[in-house]
Amino acid sequence: MTGRLNRPAAADGVVAYQDKDKPDMFHYFPLRIDSVLDETLRSFKVDYYGVNAAPYWVDMGNGNYQSCVGGNLSGTAVPELTTAQRANITKVIGDVYGVKKPNLVPLVLNNVTVQPIFAKHIVDMGTGGSATFPNELSLGASTGYQIGSGNSLFAELVGSEQDNAVPRPDFAINLSGEAELYADPWVAEIHADLRKVWEYTRTKVDVGLNLGWFNLGTSIDKITQELITNNIVDIRYVQGGGGNEFGWQMLNSTKTLFEAINKQITAGEGLFKFEPNPTPQEPTKDEKWSSKLLPFTTSINVGYVSNFFNQEITFDQKVSFEGMMPVRFNSSMALAVPCAASTESHFYDLQQMQQGCVTKAKHDGLQNRIDTEKEAKRKKLLLYMAKVESGEWTPQQYSTMVATLNTITLTEYPSIGGIREDGSPEITAASPEEVDQVLARIEEAITGGLVPAPRPRRSATPRRVKV
């Protein structure tokens, strides 16, 4: 069971190769994995807390109550064709190869690598940030993931209300691996002057001298044909030929020439670069060598003019493609969708104990709390600085008090307001008088030298701005 490199089909971000021995079997790979709820993205949910006008109290253990803000995103990813993609690739296979009901099987990848993408800088801002991703992944197999953080920015990022439910790239995985495909025997002796190859290719790009890259797109198909027909590249076929079925070999031979040209540049980024092709497509009638099916795209460096080389650069090699060929495939998949009208059932507010998005009202409520806290601390800092200026406090005592302020909240300092019927305490924000009493005890300890300078401790309180 091996796909034939020379017998491809593509549609809707999916490429498939006809089996070497079974004509009704096609080995597929989704170069674009669409995230569809309850299909390729299962058990997806977002829980958030503390994004409201009132604080959300959590017992951190042993009666240590704190006002918390944060969120958690989790789900099960299935890197697989969606129903729409499967229907589209099936139609193209039927149109191209006459197989109306193909047996679609996933391409077997080796040396698979998985790279997670998850707004790490935001996750790490809060307390208790964590992320769990799979180290291995295979097509069609489900795998779980989880991302959580105790800060308000993360909670609002994953739960904020949006107009549409387009999957978000902030949380995704990149998948890369190699598959062995059978290449029909093709051997050719190639002779070329790389100076002329560069000159001709550069003149086909109607872009003046400038910094940056220009993607050749499907024009690489025509350029390859013209390099041969205009005798700029001389090919003598030892085995196989230059027919449409060998287009893959011809296009990769051109890539070999471009890579050889890159070696002539000892510094910089080179003259050509090759990147993964995320949207392979069935070629049009004008693209007889199917450049749209290549797993890579080619870009040319427009920072070099066509007459950059002034001497002949001889390329004289035998290029062969035969037997099993390793071909690298790349794909990616978003792991989250935003909260919109069609997806809000997957979002849950732990504080209000109901489904729904982080609305503007919730956002404004939290921001008002943060602004109130900032103002309360600003007033205290002015008071403490005045003590330093008057000589009542030393700069070290001031620094110690500032460090202490960054471990507590003044406007949401927990206080027991009563006992519920079940015996649990009812937590409320302490009054300004109660907070002043707490601060007075801390000030006395610091200025009296009764305690060492406190270290800021880990806290699940809303993230605050240090003044």
Side-chain angles (χ1 to χ4, degrees):
M1 287 177 42
T2 303
R4 285 180 63 186
L5 187 61
N6 300 80
R7 302 282 287 175
D12 199 10
V14 180
V15 62
Y17 299 89
Q18 190 174 37
D19 190 79
K20 178 176 177 291
D21 302 312
K22 301 177 180 179
D24 66 332
M25 179 179 289
F26 285 79
H27 304 261
Y28 68 85
F29 183 82
L31 292 166
R32 188 195 74 236
I33 304 174
D34 293 339
S35 300
V36 178
L37 286 174
D38 301 324
E39 194 170 341
T40 57
L41 198 59
R42 303 174 185 173
S43 305
F44 174 74
K45 69 171 184 174
V46 171
D47 297 324
Y48 61 92
Y49 49 89
V51 188
N52 281 291
Y56 180 62
W57 303 104
V58 176
D59 186 354
M60 309 303 292
N62 299 320
N64 175 23
Y65 286 89
Q66 295 184 17
S67 173
C68 299
V69 179
N72 187 72
L73 179 154
S74 63
T76 300
V78 185
E80 179 60 285
L81 304 185
T82 64
T83 302
Q85 286 178 313
R86 187 175 292 273
N88 290 330
I89 189 64
T90 297
K91 182 180 184 304
V92 169
I93 290 173
D95 294 342
V96 176
Y97 296 101
V99 181
K100 299 303 181 182
K101 294 183 179 181
N103 178 17
L104 294 173
V105 296
L107 199 62
V108 177
L109 296 181
N110 301 311
N111 303 318
V112 177
T113 59
V114 179
Q115 178 191 32
I117 302 170
F118 63 100
K120 188 175 186 299
H121 63 293
I122 296 178
V123 173
D124 290 344
M125 283 182 184
T127 59
S130 66
T132 304
F133 286 94
N135 295 322
E136 299 180 356
L137 207 60
S138 58
L139 294 180
S142 61
T143 184
Y145 61 92
Q146 174 274 331
I147 311 165
S149 182
N151 79 77
S152 60
L153 183 56
F154 176 80
E156 295 197 64
L157 176 66
V158 299
S160 60
E161 190 174 34
Q162 303 291 327
D163 293 333
N164 58 64
V166 176
R168 45 191 324 154
D170 313 87
F171 306 96
I173 50 173
N174 289 333
L175 174 66
S176 179
E178 279 188 354
E180 287 198 335
L181 299 174
Y182 177 79
D184 293 336
W186 188 86
V187 183
E189 293 177 351
I190 299 179
H191 176 78
D193 179 356
L194 297 182
R195 173 180 62 88
K196 292 182 179 180
V197 173
W198 163 254
E199 182 177 0
Y200 185 83
T201 305
R202 182 62 179 87
T203 57
K204 289 299 178 180
V205 178
D206 190 20
V207 177
L209 185 66
N210 207 337
L211 292 177
W213 296 87
F214 181 84
N215 193 316
L216 294 177
T218 58
S219 62
I220 185 66
D221 198 310
K222 186 176 181 180
I223 289 173
T224 298
Q225 297 173 46
E226 292 178 350
L227 285 172
I228 298 170
T229 57
N230 293 335
N231 296 319
I232 298 172
V233 175
D234 180 44
I235 297 181
R236 188 176 71 85
Y237 302 109
V238 178
Q239 186 175 5
N244 294 353
E245 190 167 330
F246 292 92
W248 188 91
Q249 285 88 336
M250 302 297 288
L251 292 167
N252 271 273
S253 297
T254 303
K255 180 185 178 186
T256 301
L257 292 174
F258 288 171
E259 290 173 335
I261 293 174
N262 274 350
K263 292 179 181 178
Q264 307 302 314
I265 307 298
T266 57
E269 299 176 290
L271 301 183
F272 296 95
K273 70 176 180 179
F274 309 95
E275 298 175 305
N277 177 13
T279 56
Q281 300 174 34
E282 193 63 29
T284 63
K285 293 180 179 179
D286 296 332
E287 300 152 11
K288 68 175 185 178
W289 284 345
S290 310
S291 60
K292 286 184 178 180
L293 288 173
L294 288 174
F296 62 84
T297 61
T298 305
S299 296
I300 188 170
N301 193 336
V302 294
Y304 293 80
V305 293
S306 59
N307 61 350
F308 178 74
F309 300 107
N310 53 25
Q311 293 182 342
E312 180 179 342
I313 306 172
T314 301
F315 180 93
D316 196 357
Q317 290 185 17
K318 178 181 287 188
V319 178
S320 64
F321 299 93
E322 185 173 4
M324 304 304 295
M325 301 292 299
V327 180
R328 178 154 289 277
F329 291 88
N330 302 280
S331 190
S332 63
M333 178 182 181
L335 299 178
V337 295
C339 190
S342 60
T343 61
E344 66 176 351
S345 61
H346 296 267
F347 294 78
Y348 190 76
D349 187 336
L350 290 174
Q351 183 172 358
Q352 295 188 348
M353 301 181 67
Q354 64 182 21
Q355 294 176 346
C357 309
V358 175
T359 61
K360 185 178 185 303
K362 293 180 181 180
H363 164 81
D364 292 345
L366 174 62
Q367 290 304 311
N368 289 337
R369 288 165 51 203
I370 293 175
D371 292 342
T372 302
E373 177 68 18
K374 285 167 57 180
E375 179 60 20
K377 286 186 175 178
R378 187 187 71 84
K379 291 180 179 179
K380 288 298 180 183
L381 290 178
L382 291 175
L383 176 63
Y384 297 146
M385 180 56 69
K387 291 178 179 290
V388 176
E389 293 172 346
S390 67
E392 183 179 349
W393 278 18
T394 67
Q396 178 60 39
Q397 290 170 333
Y398 173 82
S399 298
T400 302
M401 195 63 200
V402 171
T404 301
L405 283 181
N406 282 314
T407 67
I408 62 175
T409 53
L410 302 183
T411 58
E412 294 180 5
Y413 194 85
S415 176
I416 298 178
I419 303 297
R420 298 189 180 93
E421 293 182 359
D422 61 2
S424 62
E426 182 178 347
I427 305 300
T428 61
S431 66
E433 293 76 19
E434 290 177 300
V435 174
D436 285 340
Q437 292 174 9
V438 172
L439 291 177
R441 290 194 295 269
I442 297 174
E443 294 167 15
E444 181 181 359
I446 291 175
T447 57
L450 300 180
V451 297
R455 299 177 181 176
R457 58 186 174 83
R458 294 176 65 87
S459 170
T461 53
R463 180 166 175 79
R464 311 171 192 86
V465 176
K466 296 183 180 180
V467 182

PDB file of all heavy atoms in Angstrom, residues 348-359:
ATOM      1  N   TYR A 348     -18.406  28.884  29.355  1.00  0.00           N
ATOM      2  CA  TYR A 348     -19.117  28.843  30.633  1.00  0.00           C
ATOM      3  C   TYR A 348     -18.473  29.795  31.628  1.00  0.00           C
ATOM      4  O   TYR A 348     -17.247  29.790  31.836  1.00  0.00           O
ATOM      5  CB  TYR A 348     -19.089  27.420  31.193  1.00  0.00           C
ATOM      6  CG  TYR A 348     -19.988  27.216  32.388  1.00  0.00           C
ATOM      7  CD1 TYR A 348     -21.368  27.094  32.240  1.00  0.00           C
ATOM      8  CD2 TYR A 348     -19.462  27.149  33.672  1.00  0.00           C
ATOM      9  CE1 TYR A 348     -22.200  26.907  33.333  1.00  0.00           C
ATOM     10  CE2 TYR A 348     -20.279  26.964  34.772  1.00  0.00           C
ATOM     11  CZ  TYR A 348     -21.652  26.847  34.600  1.00  0.00           C
ATOM     12  OH  TYR A 348     -22.471  26.658  35.698  1.00  0.00           O
ATOM     13  N   ASP A 349     -19.312  30.636  32.228  1.00  0.00           N
ATOM     14  CA  ASP A 349     -18.891  31.577  33.270  1.00  0.00           C
ATOM     15  C   ASP A 349     -19.064  30.890  34.622  1.00  0.00           C
ATOM     16  O   ASP A 349     -20.184  30.703  35.100  1.00  0.00           O
ATOM     17  CB  ASP A 349     -19.745  32.842  33.185  1.00  0.00           C
ATOM     18  CG  ASP A 349     -19.264  33.936  34.124  1.00  0.00           C
ATOM     19  OD1 ASP A 349     -18.607  33.605  35.138  1.00  0.00           O
ATOM     20  OD2 ASP A 349     -19.538  35.114  33.849  1.00  0.00           O
ATOM     21  N   LEU A 350     -17.944  30.506  35.236  1.00  0.00           N
ATOM     22  CA  LEU A 350     -17.998  29.788  36.515  1.00  0.00           C
ATOM     23  C   LEU A 350     -18.568  30.668  37.625  1.00  0.00           C
ATOM     24  O   LEU A 350     -19.154  30.149  38.585  1.00  0.00           O
ATOM     25  CB  LEU A 350     -16.601  29.309  36.895  1.00  0.00           C
ATOM     26  CG  LEU A 350     -16.007  28.179  36.032  1.00  0.00           C
ATOM     27  CD1 LEU A 350     -14.558  27.915  36.425  1.00  0.00           C
ATOM     28  CD2 LEU A 350     -16.827  26.909  36.188  1.00  0.00           C
ATOM     29  N   GLN A 351     -18.389  31.961  37.523  1.00  0.00           N
ATOM     30  CA  GLN A 351     -18.874  32.856  38.564  1.00  0.00           C
ATOM     31  C   GLN A 351     -20.392  33.007  38.499  1.00  0.00           C
ATOM     32  O   GLN A 351     -21.085  32.897  39.514  1.00  0.00           O
ATOM     33  CB  GLN A 351     -18.201  34.225  38.428  1.00  0.00           C
ATOM     34  CG  GLN A 351     -18.591  35.218  39.517  1.00  0.00           C
ATOM     35  CD  GLN A 351     -17.768  36.482  39.453  1.00  0.00           C
ATOM     36  OE1 GLN A 351     -16.880  36.605  38.623  1.00  0.00           O
ATOM     37  NE2 GLN A 351     -18.052  37.432  40.319  1.00  0.00           N
ATOM     38  N   GLN A 352     -20.927  33.223  37.325  1.00  0.00           N
ATOM     39  CA  GLN A 352     -22.375  33.373  37.180  1.00  0.00           C
ATOM     40  C   GLN A 352     -23.076  32.043  36.971  1.00  0.00           C
ATOM     41  O   GLN A 352     -24.306  31.989  36.937  1.00  0.00           O
ATOM     42  CB  GLN A 352     -22.673  34.305  35.998  1.00  0.00           C
ATOM     43  CG  GLN A 352     -22.176  35.731  36.212  1.00  0.00           C
ATOM     44  CD  GLN A 352     -22.651  36.677  35.128  1.00  0.00           C
ATOM     45  OE1 GLN A 352     -23.167  36.258  34.090  1.00  0.00           O
ATOM     46  NE2 GLN A 352     -22.479  37.976  35.356  1.00  0.00           N
ATOM     47  N   MET A 353     -22.268  30.973  36.817  1.00  0.00           N
ATOM     48  CA  MET A 353     -22.793  29.615  36.659  1.00  0.00           C
ATOM     49  C   MET A 353     -23.788  29.536  35.497  1.00  0.00           C
ATOM     50  O   MET A 353     -24.898  29.019  35.624  1.00  0.00           O
ATOM     51  CB  MET A 353     -23.433  29.127  37.960  1.00  0.00           C
ATOM     52  CG  MET A 353     -22.466  29.105  39.135  1.00  0.00           C
ATOM     53  SD  MET A 353     -23.207  28.491  40.666  1.00  0.00           S
ATOM     54  CE  MET A 353     -23.490  26.773  40.226  1.00  0.00           C
ATOM     55  N   GLN A 354     -23.361  30.063  34.341  1.00  0.00           N
ATOM     56  CA  GLN A 354     -24.192  30.009  33.153  1.00  0.00           C
ATOM     57  C   GLN A 354     -23.322  30.107  31.907  1.00  0.00           C
ATOM     58  O   GLN A 354     -22.193  30.602  31.946  1.00  0.00           O
ATOM     59  CB  GLN A 354     -25.221  31.143  33.152  1.00  0.00           C
ATOM     60  CG  GLN A 354     -24.598  32.535  33.078  1.00  0.00           C
ATOM     61  CD  GLN A 354     -25.649  33.625  33.134  1.00  0.00           C
ATOM     62  OE1 GLN A 354     -26.757  33.415  33.590  1.00  0.00           O
ATOM     63  NE2 GLN A 354     -25.304  34.806  32.662  1.00  0.00           N
ATOM     64  N   GLN A 355     -23.872  29.604  30.789  1.00  0.00           N
ATOM     65  CA  GLN A 355     -23.153  29.675  29.521  1.00  0.00           C
ATOM     66  C   GLN A 355     -23.175  31.110  29.002  1.00  0.00           C
ATOM     67  O   GLN A 355     -24.080  31.879  29.294  1.00  0.00           O
ATOM     68  CB  GLN A 355     -23.796  28.750  28.494  1.00  0.00           C
ATOM     69  CG  GLN A 355     -23.697  27.268  28.832  1.00  0.00           C
ATOM     70  CD  GLN A 355     -24.433  26.404  27.833  1.00  0.00           C
ATOM     71  OE1 GLN A 355     -25.227  26.892  27.042  1.00  0.00           O
ATOM     72  NE2 GLN A 355     -24.173  25.105  27.874  1.00  0.00           N
ATOM     73  N   GLY A 356     -22.164  31.428  28.208  1.00  0.00           N
ATOM     74  CA  GLY A 356     -22.135  32.756  27.602  1.00  0.00           C
ATOM     75  C   GLY A 356     -20.724  33.279  27.423  1.00  0.00           C
ATOM     76  O   GLY A 356     -19.750  32.732  27.947  1.00  0.00           O
ATOM     77  N   CYS A 357     -20.620  34.362  26.658  1.00  0.00           N
ATOM     78  CA  CYS A 357     -19.326  34.958  26.327  1.00  0.00           C
ATOM     79  C   CYS A 357     -18.918  36.003  27.367  1.00  0.00           C
ATOM     80  O   CYS A 357     -19.707  36.402  28.228  1.00  0.00           O
ATOM     81  CB  CYS A 357     -19.404  35.629  24.959  1.00  0.00           C
ATOM     82  SG  CYS A 357     -20.073  34.596  23.639  1.00  0.00           S
ATOM     83  N   VAL A 358     -17.669  36.437  27.244  1.00  0.00           N
ATOM     84  CA  VAL A 358     -17.209  37.598  28.002  1.00  0.00           C
ATOM     85  C   VAL A 358     -17.715  38.831  27.253  1.00  0.00           C
ATOM     86  O   VAL A 358     -17.154  39.240  26.238  1.00  0.00           O
ATOM     87  CB  VAL A 358     -15.674  37.636  28.113  1.00  0.00           C
ATOM     88  CG1 VAL A 358     -15.226  38.925  28.793  1.00  0.00           C
ATOM     89  CG2 VAL A 358     -15.168  36.437  28.895  1.00  0.00           C
ATOM     90  N   THR A 359     -18.808  39.384  27.718  1.00  0.00           N
ATOM     91  CA  THR A 359     -19.442  40.520  27.058  1.00  0.00           C
ATOM     92  C   THR A 359     -18.736  41.817  27.420  1.00  0.00           C
ATOM     93  O   THR A 359     -17.878  41.860  28.318  1.00  0.00           O
ATOM     94  CB  THR A 359     -20.913  40.621  27.452  1.00  0.00           C
ATOM     95  OG1 THR A 359     -20.980  40.821  28.886  1.00  0.00           O
ATOM     96  CG2 THR A 359     -21.667  39.347  27.092  1.00  0.00           C
TER      97      THR A 359
END
